[in-house]
Amino acid sequence: RKEVEQDPGPFNVPEGATVAFNCTYSNSASQSFFWYRQDCRKEPKLLMSVYSSGNEDGRFTAQLNRASQYISLLIRDSKLSDSATYLCVVNTNAGKSTFGDGTTLTVKP
Amino acid sequence: DAGVIQSPRHEVTEMGQEVTLRCKPISGHDYLFWYRQTMMRGLELLIYFNNNVPIDDSGMPEDRFSAKMPNASFSTLKIQPSEPRDSAVYFCASSTTGLPNEKLFFGSGTQLSVL
């Protein structure tokens, strides 16, 4: 079993739709959590951190459930420019980042 | 800041040849990470350094792979001899502290093709 598992996708949604991605992690000692975005043939870039209380950044909402070892990302009013692969990332206390395989989102006109 | 700089952007080589990938981290960043990305295995951590010292190389696939960081501004990942299954995108990333809540800054990657 992989340390970090994500919805396999792909997700194909129309503009304006709301879409949610899920991620589970197996290491209960994990300390911090992130969502990264990766565009085709580009490097991953940080989208947002994920806090225990949940957090929003514009149209993006991230949530963490430590008891269930589960992270989610919600995108509201999706735009064409949101099309990308979204990577769930989990850090251990040793500072090691483990990436999920990513979920691909395509937003269509 | 110029960001993390990797070279070359693309490398095409023949099986059995030595390949050297290069990385310059962001100035002031104490941690440097080498990742490999493939369709089959996703993004895998190969090795990371703290203050030029290798901390965890458990992700290095085999003895053909080696990494060095001779100073704070330069690291290399070497594959000798290279094999077709080494074909992948290799990313270098750096961060300031390596603490759990520290984000990674990635370079643009090196697309390696071993024929």
Side-chain angles (χ1 to χ4, degrees):
Chain A
R1 183 188 172 194
K2 289 195 170 186
E3 287 188 51
V4 179
E5 297 201 60
Q6 295 187 236
D7 283 350
F11 286 70
N12 297 303
V13 303
E15 272 186 292
T18 295
V19 61
F21 306 138
N22 302 319
C23 171
T24 57
Y25 59 96
S26 60
N27 186 346
S28 59
S30 298
Q31 295 288 315
S32 54
F33 311 88
F34 306 87
W35 285 100
Y36 278 69
R37 170 190 169 131
Q38 186 174 25
D39 294 294
C40 187
R41 301 185 183 279
K42 300 274 191 170
E43 72 274 20
K45 292 184 179 179
L46 179 68
L47 177 66
M48 60 194 301
S49 303
V50 186
Y51 303 119
S52 297
S53 55
N55 49 295
E56 277 190 20
D57 183 0
R59 298 181 292 108
F60 298 83
T61 300
Q63 292 195 316
L64 166 65
N65 184 322
R66 284 188 183 271
S68 301
Q69 296 183 195
Y70 169 97
I71 305 160
S72 66
L73 176 68
L74 182 78
I75 305 175
R76 291 182 300 277
D77 187 24
S78 54
K79 313 290 185 191
L80 296 176
S81 57
D82 294 334
S83 298
T85 296
Y86 291 83
L87 301 164
C88 173
V89 182
V90 174
N91 284 12
T92 64
N93 193 42
K96 180 177 176 180
S97 297
T98 301
F99 285 73
D101 288 346
T103 301
T104 299
L105 170 67
T106 301
V107 181
K108 299 185 175 180
Chain B
D1 199 320
V4 176
I5 300 173
Q6 289 187 246
S7 64
R9 288 297 305 275
H10 303 275
E11 176 79 33
V12 180
T13 191
E14 292 187 346
M15 183 173 62
Q17 296 299 306
E18 178 180 294
V19 175
T20 300
L21 311 181
R22 296 172 175 79
C23 175
K24 174 179 169 54
I26 293 173
S27 177
H29 281 196
D30 298 331
Y31 284 78
L32 183 140
F33 304 80
W34 282 101
Y35 284 87
R36 177 173 70 175
Q37 188 172 38
T38 61
M39 289 292 292
M40 292 296 294
R41 300 174 67 90
L43 203 59
E44 304 172 279
L45 177 64
L46 300 178
I47 184 171
Y48 76 95
F49 296 82
N50 176 26
N51 291 323
N52 314 337
V53 177
I55 302 301
D56 184 349
D57 66 354
S58 59
M60 296 286 261
E62 46 195 278
D63 291 345
R64 298 184 298 106
F65 286 69
S66 62
K68 294 182 180 179
M69 192 165 185
N71 57 62
S73 59
F74 183 65
S75 176
T76 60
L77 178 67
K78 186 174 293 186
I79 309 172
Q80 167 62 23
S82 58
E83 297 182 4
R85 60 193 168 120
D86 301 330
S87 298
V89 180
Y90 291 79
F91 287 106
C92 176
S94 68
S95 68
T96 55
T97 66
L99 290 175
N101 59 348
E102 189 59 48
K103 73 174 184 178
L104 297 173
F105 293 82
F106 283 83
S108 299
T110 295
Q111 174 75 59
L112 173 64
S113 298
V114 183
L115 307 178

